[in-house]
Coordinates of all heavy atoms in Angstrom, one line a residue:
M1 N 0.8 -1.2 0.0 CA 0.0 0.0 0.0 C 0.9 1.3 0.0 O 0.5 2.2 -0.6 CB -0.9 0.0 1.2 CG -2.3 -0.1 1.2 SD -3.1 -0.1 -0.4 CE -4.7 0.1 0.2
T2 N 2.0 1.3 0.7 CA 2.8 2.4 0.7 C 3.4 2.8 -0.6 O 3.6 3.9 -0.9 CB 4.0 2.2 1.7 OG1 3.9 0.9 2.3 CG2 4.1 3.2 2.7
T3 N 3.7 1.8 -1.4 CA 4.3 2.0 -2.7 C 3.3 2.8 -3.6 O 3.6 3.7 -4.3 CB 4.7 0.7 -3.4 OG1 5.2 -0.2 -2.5 CG2 5.7 1.0 -4.5
R4 N 2.0 2.4 -3.5 CA 1.0 3.0 -4.3 C 0.8 4.4 -3.9 O 0.7 5.3 -4.7 CB -0.3 2.2 -4.2 CG -1.3 2.7 -5.1 CD -2.6 1.8 -5.1 NE -3.6 2.3 -5.9 CZ -4.0 1.8 -7.0 NH1 -3.4 0.8 -7.5 NH2 -5.0 2.4 -7.7
D5 N 0.8 4.8 -2.6 CA 0.7 6.1 -2.1 C 1.9 7.0 -2.5 O 1.7 8.1 -2.9 CB 0.5 6.1 -0.6 CG -0.8 5.6 -0.2 OD1 -1.8 5.7 -1.0 OD2 -1.0 5.2 1.0
N6 N 3.1 6.4 -2.5 CA 4.3 7.1 -2.9 C 4.2 7.4 -4.4 O 4.5 8.5 -4.8 CB 5.5 6.3 -2.6 CG 6.2 6.7 -1.3 OD1 5.9 7.7 -0.8 ND2 7.1 5.9 -0.9
T7 N 3.8 6.5 -5.2 CA 3.7 6.7 -6.6 C 2.6 7.8 -6.9 O 2.9 8.6 -7.8 CB 3.3 5.4 -7.3 OG1 4.2 4.3 -6.9 CG2 3.4 5.5 -8.8
S8 N 1.5 7.7 -6.2 CA 0.5 8.8 -6.4 C 1.0 10.1 -6.1 O 0.8 11.1 -6.8 CB -0.7 8.4 -5.6 OG -1.3 7.2 -6.0
S9 N 1.8 10.2 -5.0 CA 2.3 11.5 -4.6 C 3.3 12.0 -5.5 O 3.4 13.2 -5.9 CB 3.0 11.4 -3.2 OG 2.0 11.0 -2.2
I10 N 4.2 11.1 -6.0 CA 5.2 11.5 -7.0 C 4.6 12.0 -8.3 O 5.0 13.0 -8.9 CB 6.2 10.4 -7.2 CG1 7.1 10.2 -6.0 CG2 7.1 10.7 -8.4 CD1 7.9 8.9 -6.0
L11 N 3.6 11.2 -8.8 CA 2.9 11.6 -10.0 C 2.2 13.0 -9.8 O 2.2 13.8 -10.7 CB 1.9 10.5 -10.4 CG 2.5 9.3 -11.0 CD1 1.3 8.2 -11.2 CD2 3.2 9.6 -12.3
L12 N 1.6 13.2 -8.7 CA 1.0 14.5 -8.4 C 2.0 15.6 -8.4 O 1.7 16.7 -9.0 CB 0.2 14.4 -7.1 CG -0.6 15.6 -6.7 CD1 -1.7 15.9 -7.7 CD2 -1.2 15.5 -5.3
I13 N 3.1 15.4 -7.8 CA 4.2 16.4 -7.8 C 4.7 16.7 -9.2 O 4.9 17.8 -9.6 CB 5.3 16.0 -6.8 CG1 4.8 16.1 -5.4 CG2 6.5 16.9 -7.0 CD1 5.8 15.5 -4.4
I14 N 4.9 15.6 -10.0 CA 5.4 15.8 -11.3 C 4.3 16.6 -12.2 O 4.6 17.5 -12.9 CB 5.7 14.4 -12.0 CG1 7.0 13.9 -11.3 CG2 5.9 14.6 -13.5 CD1 7.3 12.5 -11.7
L15 N 3.1 16.2 -12.0 CA 2.0 16.9 -12.7 C 1.9 18.4 -12.3 O 1.8 19.2 -13.2 CB 0.6 16.2 -12.4 CG -0.6 16.7 -13.1 CD1 -0.5 16.5 -14.6 CD2 -1.8 16.1 -12.5
L16 N 2.1 18.7 -11.1 CA 2.1 20.1 -10.6 C 3.3 20.8 -11.2 O 3.2 22.0 -11.6 CB 2.0 20.2 -9.1 CG 0.7 19.8 -8.5 CD1 0.8 19.8 -6.9 CD2 -0.4 20.8 -8.9
V17 N 4.5 20.2 -11.2 CA 5.7 20.9 -11.7 C 5.6 21.1 -13.2 O 5.9 22.1 -13.7 CB 6.9 20.0 -11.3 CG1 8.1 20.5 -12.1 CG2 7.2 20.1 -9.8
V18 N 5.1 20.1 -13.9 CA 5.0 20.2 -15.4 C 3.9 21.3 -15.8 O 4.1 22.0 -16.7 CB 4.6 18.8 -16.0 CG1 4.3 19.0 -17.5 CG2 5.8 17.9 -15.8
T19 N 2.8 21.3 -15.0 CA 1.7 22.2 -15.4 C 1.8 23.6 -14.7 O 1.0 24.5 -14.9 CB 0.3 21.6 -15.1 OG1 0.3 21.3 -13.7 CG2 0.1 20.4 -15.9
F20 N 2.9 23.8 -13.9 CA 3.1 25.1 -13.2 C 3.1 26.3 -14.2 O 2.4 27.3 -13.9 CB 4.3 25.1 -12.4 CG 4.6 26.4 -11.8 CD1 3.9 26.9 -10.7 CD2 5.6 27.2 -12.3 CE1 4.1 28.1 -10.2 CE2 5.9 28.5 -11.7 CZ 5.1 28.9 -10.7
P21 N 3.8 26.2 -15.3 CA 3.8 27.4 -16.3 C 2.4 27.7 -16.8 O 2.0 28.9 -16.9 CB 4.7 26.9 -17.4 CG 5.6 25.9 -16.8 CD 4.7 25.2 -15.8
I22 N 1.5 26.7 -16.9 CA 0.2 27.0 -17.4 C -0.6 27.7 -16.3 O -1.3 28.7 -16.6 CB -0.5 25.6 -17.8 CG1 0.2 25.0 -19.0 CG2 -2.0 25.8 -18.1 CD1 -0.2 23.6 -19.3
W23 N -0.5 27.2 -15.1 CA -1.3 27.8 -14.0 C -0.7 29.2 -13.7 O -1.5 30.2 -13.4 CB -1.2 27.0 -12.7 CG -1.9 25.7 -12.8 CD1 -1.3 24.5 -12.8 CD2 -3.3 25.5 -13.0 NE1 -2.3 23.5 -13.0 CE2 -3.5 24.1 -13.1 CE3 -4.4 26.3 -13.1 CZ2 -4.7 23.6 -13.3 CZ3 -5.6 25.8 -13.3 CH2 -5.8 24.4 -13.4
F24 N 0.6 29.4 -13.8 CA 1.2 30.7 -13.6 C 0.7 31.7 -14.7 O 0.3 32.8 -14.4 CB 2.7 30.6 -13.7 CG 3.4 31.9 -13.3 CD1 3.5 32.4 -12.0 CD2 3.9 32.7 -14.4 CE1 4.1 33.6 -11.8 CE2 4.5 33.9 -14.1 CZ 4.6 34.3 -12.8
A25 N 0.6 31.2 -16.0 CA 0.1 32.1 -17.1 C -1.3 32.4 -16.9 O -1.7 33.6 -17.1 CB 0.3 31.4 -18.4
I26 N -2.1 31.5 -16.4 CA -3.6 31.8 -16.2 C -3.7 32.8 -15.1 O -4.5 33.7 -15.2 CB -4.3 30.5 -15.9 CG1 -4.4 29.6 -17.1 CG2 -5.7 30.8 -15.4 CD1 -5.0 28.2 -16.9
G27 N -3.0 32.6 -14.0 CA -3.0 33.6 -12.9 C -2.5 35.0 -13.4 O -3.2 36.0 -13.0
A28 N -1.5 35.0 -14.1 CA -1.0 36.3 -14.6 C -2.0 37.0 -15.6 O -2.2 38.2 -15.5 CB 0.4 36.1 -15.3
A29 N -2.6 36.2 -16.4 CA -3.6 36.7 -17.3 C -4.8 37.3 -16.6 O -5.3 38.4 -16.9 CB -4.1 35.7 -18.3
L30 N -5.3 36.6 -15.5 CA -6.4 37.1 -14.7 C -6.0 38.4 -14.0 O -6.8 39.3 -13.9 CB -6.8 36.0 -13.7 CG -7.6 34.8 -14.3 CD1 -7.8 33.8 -13.2 CD2 -8.8 35.3 -15.0
F31 N -4.8 38.4 -13.5 CA -4.3 39.6 -12.8 C -4.2 40.8 -13.8 O -4.6 41.9 -13.5 CB -2.9 39.4 -12.2 CG -2.3 40.6 -11.6 CD1 -2.8 41.1 -10.3 CD2 -1.3 41.4 -12.2 CE1 -2.2 42.2 -9.7 CE2 -0.8 42.5 -11.6 CZ -1.3 42.9 -10.4
G32 N -3.7 40.5 -15.0 CA -3.7 41.6 -16.1 C -5.1 42.1 -16.4 O -5.3 43.3 -16.7
M33 N -6.0 41.2 -16.5 CA -7.4 41.6 -16.9 C -8.0 42.4 -15.8 O -8.7 43.5 -16.1 CB -8.3 40.3 -17.1 CG -8.0 39.6 -18.4 SD -8.9 38.1 -18.6 CE -10.6 38.6 -18.3
V34 N -7.8 42.1 -14.5 CA -8.3 42.9 -13.4 C -7.7 44.2 -13.4 O -8.3 45.3 -13.2 CB -8.1 42.1 -12.1 CG1 -8.4 43.0 -10.9 CG2 -9.0 40.9 -12.0
A35 N -6.3 44.3 -13.6 CA -5.6 45.6 -13.6 C -6.1 46.4 -14.8 O -6.3 47.6 -14.7 CB -4.1 45.4 -13.7
G36 N -6.4 45.8 -16.0 CA -6.9 46.5 -17.1 C -8.3 47.1 -16.9 O -8.6 48.2 -17.3
I37 N -9.1 46.3 -16.3 CA -10.5 46.8 -16.0 C -10.5 47.9 -15.0 O -11.2 48.9 -15.2 CB -11.4 45.6 -15.5 CG1 -11.6 44.6 -16.7 CG2 -12.7 46.1 -14.9 CD1 -12.3 43.4 -16.2
F38 N -9.6 47.8 -14.0 CA -9.5 48.9 -13.0 C -8.9 50.2 -13.7 O -9.4 51.3 -13.4 CB -8.5 48.4 -11.9 CG -8.4 49.4 -10.8 CD1 -9.5 49.6 -9.9 CD2 -7.2 50.1 -10.6 CE1 -9.4 50.5 -8.9 CE2 -7.1 51.0 -9.5 CZ -8.2 51.2 -8.7
G39 N -8.0 50.0 -14.6 CA -7.4 51.2 -15.3 C -8.5 51.8 -16.2 O -8.6 53.0 -16.4
A40 N -9.3 51.0 -16.8 CA -10.4 51.5 -17.7 C -11.4 52.2 -16.9 O -11.9 53.3 -17.3 CB -11.1 50.3 -18.4
L41 N -11.7 51.8 -15.7 CA -12.7 52.5 -14.8 C -12.1 53.8 -14.4 O -12.8 54.8 -14.4 CB -13.0 51.6 -13.6 CG -13.9 50.4 -13.8 CD1 -14.0 49.6 -12.6 CD2 -15.2 50.8 -14.4
I42 N -10.8 53.9 -14.1 CA -10.2 55.2 -13.8 C -10.3 56.1 -15.0 O -10.5 57.3 -14.9 CB -8.8 54.9 -13.3 CG1 -8.8 54.3 -11.9 CG2 -8.0 56.3 -13.2 CD1 -7.4 53.9 -11.4
G43 N -10.0 55.5 -16.2 CA -10.1 56.4 -17.4 C -11.5 56.9 -17.6 O -11.7 58.1 -18.1
V44 N -12.5 56.1 -17.4 CA -13.9 56.6 -17.6 C -14.2 57.7 -16.6 O -14.9 58.7 -17.0 CB -14.9 55.4 -17.4 CG1 -16.3 55.8 -17.3 CG2 -14.7 54.4 -18.6
V45 N -13.8 57.5 -15.3 CA -14.1 58.6 -14.3 C -13.3 59.8 -14.7 O -13.9 60.9 -14.6 CB -13.6 58.1 -12.9 CG1 -13.6 59.2 -11.9 CG2 -14.5 57.0 -12.4
A46 N -12.1 59.7 -15.2 CA -11.4 60.9 -15.6 C -12.0 61.6 -16.8 O -12.1 62.8 -16.9 CB -9.9 60.6 -15.9
A47 N -12.5 60.8 -17.8 CA -13.2 61.3 -18.9 C -14.5 62.1 -18.5 O -14.8 63.1 -19.1 CB -13.5 60.2 -19.9
V48 N -15.3 61.5 -17.6 CA -16.5 62.2 -17.2 C -16.1 63.5 -16.5 O -16.8 64.5 -16.7 CB -17.3 61.2 -16.3 CG1 -18.4 62.0 -15.6 CG2 -17.9 60.1 -17.1
F49 N -15.1 63.5 -15.6 CA -14.7 64.7 -15.0 C -14.2 65.7 -16.0 O -14.6 66.9 -15.9 CB -13.5 64.4 -14.0 CG -13.0 65.6 -13.3 CD1 -13.7 66.2 -12.3 CD2 -11.8 66.1 -13.6 CE1 -13.2 67.3 -11.6 CE2 -11.3 67.2 -13.0 CZ -12.0 67.8 -12.0
G50 N -13.5 65.3 -17.0 CA -13.0 66.2 -18.0 C -14.2 66.8 -18.8 O -14.2 68.0 -19.2
A51 N -15.2 66.0 -19.1 CA -16.3 66.5 -19.8 C -17.1 67.5 -19.0 O -17.6 68.5 -19.5 CB -17.2 65.3 -20.2
C52 N -17.2 67.2 -17.7 CA -17.9 68.2 -16.8 C -17.2 69.5 -16.8 O -17.8 70.6 -16.9 CB -18.1 67.6 -15.4 SG -19.2 66.2 -15.3
V53 N -15.9 69.5 -16.6 CA -15.1 70.7 -16.6 C -15.2 71.4 -18.0 O -15.4 72.7 -18.0 CB -13.6 70.4 -16.3 CG1 -12.7 71.6 -16.5 CG2 -13.5 69.9 -14.8
A54 N -15.2 70.7 -19.1 CA -15.3 71.3 -20.4 C -16.7 72.0 -20.6 O -16.8 73.1 -21.1 CB -15.1 70.3 -21.5
I55 N -17.8 71.3 -20.1 CA -19.1 71.9 -20.2 C -19.2 73.2 -19.4 O -19.8 74.2 -19.8 CB -20.2 70.9 -19.8 CG1 -20.3 69.8 -20.9 CG2 -21.5 71.5 -19.6 CD1 -21.1 68.6 -20.5
I56 N -18.6 73.2 -18.2 CA -18.6 74.4 -17.3 C -17.8 75.5 -18.0 O -18.2 76.7 -17.9 CB -18.1 74.1 -15.9 CG1 -19.1 73.1 -15.2 CG2 -17.9 75.3 -15.1 CD1 -18.6 72.6 -13.9
A57 N -16.7 75.2 -18.6 CA -15.8 76.2 -19.1 C -16.2 76.7 -20.5 O -15.7 77.8 -20.9 CB -14.3 75.6 -19.2
L58 N -17.0 76.0 -21.2 CA -17.4 76.3 -22.6 C -18.0 77.7 -22.7 O -17.6 78.5 -23.6 CB -18.3 75.3 -23.2 CG -18.8 75.5 -24.6 CD1 -17.6 75.5 -25.5 CD2 -19.8 74.5 -25.0
P59 N -19.0 78.1 -21.8 CA -19.6 79.4 -22.0 C -18.5 80.5 -21.8 O -18.5 81.6 -22.5 CB -20.6 79.5 -20.9 CG -21.0 78.1 -20.5 CD -19.7 77.3 -20.8
F60 N -17.6 80.4 -20.8 CA -16.6 81.4 -20.6 C -15.6 81.4 -21.8 O -15.2 82.5 -22.2 CB -15.8 81.0 -19.3 CG -16.6 81.1 -18.1 CD1 -17.1 79.9 -17.5 CD2 -17.0 82.3 -17.6 CE1 -17.9 80.0 -16.4 CE2 -17.8 82.4 -16.4 CZ -18.3 81.2 -15.8
K61 N -15.3 80.3 -22.4 CA -14.5 80.3 -23.6 C -15.1 81.0 -24.7 O -14.5 81.7 -25.5 CB -14.2 78.8 -23.9 CG -13.5 78.6 -25.3 CD -12.1 78.9 -25.3 CE -11.5 78.5 -26.6 NZ -10.7 79.5 -27.2
L62 N -16.4 80.7 -24.9 CA -17.2 81.4 -26.0 C -17.3 82.9 -25.8 O -17.2 83.7 -26.8 CB -18.5 80.7 -26.2 CG -18.5 79.3 -26.7 CD1 -20.0 78.8 -26.7 CD2 -17.9 79.2 -28.1
I63 N -17.6 83.3 -24.6 CA -17.8 84.7 -24.4 C -16.5 85.5 -24.3 O -16.4 86.5 -24.9 CB -18.6 84.9 -23.1 CG1 -20.0 84.3 -23.2 CG2 -18.7 86.4 -22.7 CD1 -20.8 84.3 -22.0
F64 N -15.6 85.0 -23.5 CA -14.3 85.8 -23.2 C -13.1 85.3 -24.1 O -12.1 86.0 -24.1 CB -14.0 85.7 -21.8 CG -15.0 86.2 -20.9 CD1 -15.7 85.4 -20.0 CD2 -15.4 87.5 -20.9 CE1 -16.6 85.8 -19.1 CE2 -16.4 88.0 -20.1 CZ -17.0 87.2 -19.2
G65 N -13.2 84.2 -24.8 CA -12.1 83.8 -25.6 C -11.0 83.2 -24.8 O -9.8 83.3 -25.3
W66 N -11.2 82.7 -23.7 CA -10.1 82.2 -22.9 C -9.6 80.9 -23.5 O -10.3 80.1 -24.1 CB -10.6 81.8 -21.5 CG -10.9 83.0 -20.7 CD1 -10.6 84.3 -20.9 CD2 -11.7 83.1 -19.5 NE1 -11.1 85.2 -20.0 CE2 -11.8 84.4 -19.1 CE3 -12.3 82.1 -18.7 CZ2 -12.5 84.8 -17.9 CZ3 -13.0 82.5 -17.5 CH2 -13.1 83.8 -17.2
G67 N -8.3 80.7 -23.4 CA -7.7 79.5 -23.9 C -6.9 79.7 -25.2 O -6.2 78.8 -25.6
S68 N -7.2 80.8 -25.9 CA -6.4 81.1 -27.1 C -5.5 82.2 -26.8 O -5.8 83.4 -27.2 CB -7.4 81.4 -28.2 OG -8.2 82.5 -27.9
W69 N -4.4 81.9 -26.2 CA -3.4 83.0 -25.8 C -2.5 83.2 -26.9 O -1.9 82.3 -27.5 CB -2.7 82.6 -24.5 CG -3.6 82.4 -23.4 CD1 -4.0 81.2 -22.9 CD2 -4.2 83.4 -22.6 NE1 -4.8 81.4 -21.8 CE2 -4.9 82.8 -21.6 CE3 -4.1 84.8 -22.6 CZ2 -5.7 83.5 -20.6 CZ3 -4.8 85.5 -21.6 CH2 -5.6 84.9 -20.7
H70 N -2.3 84.4 -27.3 CA -1.3 84.8 -28.3 C -0.2 85.6 -27.7 O -0.4 86.2 -26.6 CB -2.0 85.6 -29.5 CG -3.2 84.9 -30.1 ND1 -3.0 83.8 -30.9 CD2 -4.5 85.1 -30.0 CE1 -4.2 83.3 -31.3 NE2 -5.1 84.1 -30.7
W71 N 0.9 85.7 -28.3 CA 2.0 86.5 -27.8 C 1.6 88.0 -27.7 O 1.1 88.6 -28.6 CB 3.3 86.4 -28.6 CG 3.9 85.0 -28.5 CD1 3.8 84.0 -29.5 CD2 4.6 84.5 -27.4 NE1 4.4 82.9 -29.0 CE2 4.9 83.2 -27.8 CE3 5.0 85.0 -26.2 CZ2 5.6 82.4 -26.9 CZ3 5.7 84.2 -25.4 CH2 6.0 82.9 -25.7
G72 N 1.8 88.5 -26.5 CA 1.5 89.9 -26.3 C 0.0 90.2 -26.1 O -0.4 91.4 -26.0
H73 N -0.8 89.2 -26.0 CA -2.2 89.5 -25.8 C -2.7 88.9 -24.5 O -2.8 87.7 -24.3 CB -3.0 88.8 -26.9 CG -4.5 88.9 -26.7 ND1 -5.1 90.1 -26.8 CD2 -5.4 88.0 -26.5 CE1 -6.4 89.9 -26.6 NE2 -6.6 88.6 -26.4
W74 N -2.8 89.8 -23.5 CA -3.3 89.4 -22.2 C -4.5 90.2 -21.8 O -4.5 91.4 -21.9 CB -2.2 89.6 -21.1 CG -0.9 88.8 -21.4 CD1 0.1 89.2 -22.1 CD2 -0.7 87.4 -21.1 NE1 1.1 88.3 -22.3 CE2 0.6 87.1 -21.7 CE3 -1.4 86.4 -20.5 CZ2 1.2 85.9 -21.5 CZ3 -0.8 85.2 -20.4 CH2 0.5 84.9 -20.9
G75 N -5.5 89.6 -21.3 CA -6.6 90.4 -20.8 C -7.9 90.0 -21.5 O -8.1 89.0 -22.2
F76 N -8.9 90.9 -21.5 CA -10.2 90.7 -22.0 C -10.2 90.7 -23.5 O -9.8 91.6 -24.2 CB -11.1 91.8 -21.5 CG -12.6 91.6 -21.7 CD1 -13.2 90.7 -20.9 CD2 -13.2 92.2 -22.7 CE1 -14.6 90.4 -21.1 CE2 -14.6 92.0 -22.9 CZ -15.3 91.1 -22.1
S77 N -10.6 89.6 -24.1 CA -10.6 89.4 -25.5 C -11.9 89.2 -26.1 O -12.1 88.5 -27.1 CB -9.6 88.3 -25.9 OG -10.2 87.1 -25.4
F78 N -12.9 89.9 -25.6 CA -14.3 89.7 -26.1 C -14.4 90.2 -27.5 O -15.1 89.5 -28.3 CB -15.3 90.5 -25.2 CG -16.7 90.3 -25.6 CD1 -17.3 89.1 -25.3 CD2 -17.4 91.3 -26.2 CE1 -18.7 88.9 -25.6 CE2 -18.7 91.1 -26.5 CZ -19.4 89.9 -26.2
W79 N -13.8 91.2 -27.9 CA -14.0 91.8 -29.3 C -13.0 91.3 -30.3 O -13.1 91.6 -31.4 CB -13.9 93.3 -29.2 CG -14.9 93.9 -28.3 CD1 -14.7 94.4 -27.1 CD2 -16.3 94.0 -28.5 NE1 -15.8 94.8 -26.5 CE2 -16.8 94.6 -27.4 CE3 -17.1 93.7 -29.6 CZ2 -18.2 94.9 -27.2 CZ3 -18.5 94.0 -29.5 CH2 -19.0 94.6 -28.3
H80 N -12.0 90.4 -29.8 CA -11.0 89.9 -30.7 C -11.5 88.6 -31.3 O -12.0 87.8 -30.7 CB -9.7 89.7 -30.0 CG -9.1 91.0 -29.4 ND1 -8.7 92.0 -30.1 CD2 -9.0 91.3 -28.1 CE1 -8.3 93.0 -29.3 NE2 -8.5 92.6 -28.1
G81 N -11.2 88.4 -32.6 CA -11.5 87.2 -33.2 C -13.0 87.0 -33.5 O -13.7 88.0 -33.7
H82 N -13.5 85.8 -33.5 CA -14.9 85.5 -33.8 C -15.7 85.3 -32.6 O -16.9 84.8 -32.7 CB -14.9 84.3 -34.7 CG -14.2 84.4 -36.0 ND1 -14.6 85.2 -37.0 CD2 -13.0 83.9 -36.3 CE1 -13.7 85.2 -38.0 NE2 -12.7 84.3 -37.6
T83 N -15.2 85.6 -31.4 CA -15.9 85.4 -30.2 C -17.2 86.1 -30.1 O -18.3 85.6 -29.7 CB -15.1 85.7 -28.9 OG1 -13.8 85.0 -29.1 CG2 -15.7 85.3 -27.7
F84 N -17.2 87.4 -30.5 CA -18.4 88.2 -30.5 C -19.5 87.6 -31.4 O -20.7 87.7 -31.1 CB -18.1 89.7 -30.9 CG -19.3 90.5 -30.8 CD1 -19.9 90.9 -29.6 CD2 -19.9 91.0 -32.0 CE1 -21.1 91.6 -29.6 CE2 -21.1 91.8 -31.9 CZ -21.6 92.1 -30.7
I85 N -19.1 87.1 -32.6 CA -20.0 86.5 -33.5 C -20.7 85.3 -32.9 O -21.9 85.2 -33.0 CB -19.3 86.1 -34.8 CG1 -18.8 87.4 -35.5 CG2 -20.2 85.4 -35.8 CD1 -17.9 87.1 -36.7
W86 N -20.0 84.4 -32.2 CA -20.6 83.3 -31.6 C -21.5 83.7 -30.5 O -22.6 83.1 -30.3 CB -19.5 82.3 -31.0 CG -18.9 81.5 -32.1 CD1 -17.6 81.6 -32.5 CD2 -19.5 80.5 -32.9 NE1 -17.4 80.7 -33.6 CE2 -18.5 80.0 -33.8 CE3 -20.8 80.0 -33.0 CZ2 -18.8 79.1 -34.7 CZ3 -21.1 79.0 -33.9 CH2 -20.1 78.6 -34.8
F87 N -21.1 84.7 -29.7 CA -21.9 85.3 -28.6 C -23.2 85.8 -29.2 O -24.3 85.5 -28.7 CB -21.2 86.4 -27.9 CG -21.9 86.9 -26.7 CD1 -22.2 86.1 -25.6 CD2 -22.4 88.2 -26.7 CE1 -22.9 86.6 -24.5 CE2 -23.1 88.7 -25.7 CZ -23.4 87.9 -24.6
A88 N -23.2 86.5 -30.3 CA -24.4 87.0 -31.0 C -25.2 85.9 -31.5 O -26.5 85.9 -31.4 CB -24.0 88.0 -32.1
V89 N -24.6 84.9 -32.1 CA -25.4 83.7 -32.6 C -26.1 83.0 -31.4 O -27.3 82.7 -31.6 CB -24.5 82.8 -33.3 CG1 -25.2 81.4 -33.6 CG2 -24.0 83.4 -34.6
I90 N -25.5 82.9 -30.3 CA -26.1 82.2 -29.2 C -27.3 83.1 -28.7 O -28.4 82.5 -28.4 CB -25.1 82.0 -28.1 CG1 -24.1 80.9 -28.5 CG2 -25.7 81.6 -26.8 CD1 -22.9 80.7 -27.6
I91 N -27.1 84.4 -28.6 CA -28.2 85.2 -28.1 C -29.4 85.2 -29.1 O -30.6 85.1 -28.7 CB -27.7 86.7 -28.0 CG1 -26.6 86.8 -26.9 CG2 -28.8 87.7 -27.7 CD1 -27.1 86.4 -25.5
V92 N -29.1 85.2 -30.4 CA -30.2 85.1 -31.4 C -30.9 83.8 -31.3 O -32.2 83.7 -31.3 CB -29.6 85.3 -32.8 CG1 -30.6 85.0 -33.9 CG2 -29.2 86.8 -33.0
V93 N -30.2 82.7 -31.1 CA -30.8 81.4 -31.0 C -31.7 81.3 -29.8 O -32.8 80.8 -29.8 CB -29.8 80.3 -31.0 CG1 -30.4 78.9 -30.6 CG2 -29.1 80.1 -32.4
I94 N -31.2 81.8 -28.7 CA -32.0 81.9 -27.4 C -33.3 82.7 -27.6 O -34.3 82.3 -27.2 CB -31.1 82.4 -26.3 CG1 -30.1 81.4 -25.9 CG2 -32.0 82.7 -25.1 CD1 -29.1 81.9 -24.9
L95 N -33.2 83.9 -28.3 CA -34.4 84.7 -28.5 C -35.3 84.0 -29.4 O -36.5 84.0 -29.2 CB -33.9 86.0 -29.1 CG -33.2 87.0 -28.1 CD1 -32.8 88.2 -28.8 CD2 -34.1 87.3 -26.9
L96 N -34.8 83.3 -30.5 CA -35.8 82.6 -31.4 C -36.4 81.4 -30.7 O -37.6 81.2 -30.9 CB -35.0 82.1 -32.6 CG -34.5 83.1 -33.6 CD1 -33.7 82.5 -34.7 CD2 -35.7 83.8 -34.2
L97 N -35.7 80.7 -29.8 CA -36.4 79.6 -29.1 C -37.4 80.1 -28.1 O -38.4 79.5 -27.8 CB -35.3 78.8 -28.4 CG -34.4 77.9 -29.3 CD1 -33.3 77.2 -28.5 CD2 -35.3 76.9 -30.1
K98 N -37.1 81.3 -27.5 CA -38.0 81.9 -26.5 C -39.3 82.4 -27.2 O -40.4 82.2 -26.7 CB -37.3 83.0 -25.8 CG -37.9 83.5 -24.6 CD -37.0 84.5 -23.9 CE -37.5 84.7 -22.5 NZ -36.7 85.7 -21.8
N99 N -39.1 82.9 -28.4 CA -40.3 83.4 -29.1 C -41.1 82.3 -29.7 O -42.3 82.4 -29.9 CB -39.9 84.3 -30.3 CG -39.4 85.7 -29.8 OD1 -39.7 86.1 -28.7 ND2 -38.6 86.4 -30.6
R100 N -40.5 81.2 -30.0 CA -41.2 80.0 -30.5 C -42.2 79.4 -29.5 O -43.3 79.0 -29.9 CB -40.2 79.0 -30.9 CG -40.9 77.8 -31.7 CD -39.8 76.8 -32.1 NE -39.4 77.1 -33.4 CZ -38.6 76.3 -34.1 NH1 -38.0 75.3 -33.5 NH2 -38.2 76.6 -35.3
R101 N -41.9 79.5 -28.2 CA -42.8 79.0 -27.2 C -43.9 79.9 -27.0 O -45.0 79.8 -26.7 CB -42.0 78.9 -25.9 CG -41.0 77.8 -25.9 CD -40.3 77.7 -24.6 NE -39.1 76.8 -24.7 CZ -38.2 76.7 -23.8 NH1 -38.3 77.5 -22.7 NH2 -37.2 75.9 -23.9

């Protein structure tokens, strides 16, 4: 009986040693998948935060022209560029939508 138990133990050890790379690869793949999903979740949260900041900053960008800094141009840039035209278009659209109701 002892010989049979010894043989079973040795076969089990050989089986574990031979299949260790497969189990290690499966564990590493699962770890990589979990890390990737966690990274994707962080990316989605950062994207939502960025979109919220962009929505809040958009009216200021359209009205005051912030974010388009040129050399030697610091300060209020409402009349420079096409910002006033966009501001006028927004006002006209708001008035038309208000009159439509």
Side-chain angles (χ1 to χ4, degrees):
M1 241 3 188
T2 359
T3 323
R4 187 174 175 108
D5 288 337
N6 260 349
T7 308
S8 296
S9 298
I10 290 173
L11 285 176
L12 183 63
I13 290 172
I14 290 173
L15 183 67
L16 287 175
V17 167
V18 169
T19 59
F20 174 74
I22 296 171
W23 295 113
F24 186 78
I26 290 173
L30 289 175
F31 178 76
M33 287 175 51
V34 169
I37 290 172
F38 186 68
L41 289 175
I42 290 175
V44 167
V45 169
V48 168
F49 178 73
C52 291
V53 169
I55 289 171
I56 292 170
L58 181 65
F60 296 104
K61 167 80 171 132
L62 290 176
I63 294 172
F64 301 116
W66 292 345
S68 56
W69 299 100
H70 304 288
W71 290 105
H73 176 67
W74 300 94
F76 192 75
S77 64
F78 183 74
W79 302 103
H80 300 290
H82 302 289
T83 306
F84 180 72
I85 294 171
W86 284 112
F87 183 67
V89 167
I90 290 171
I91 296 297
V92 168
V93 168
I94 289 173
L95 289 175
L96 287 176
L97 289 176
K98 197 173 194 181
N99 287 339
R100 187 180 267 185
R101 292 180 189 168

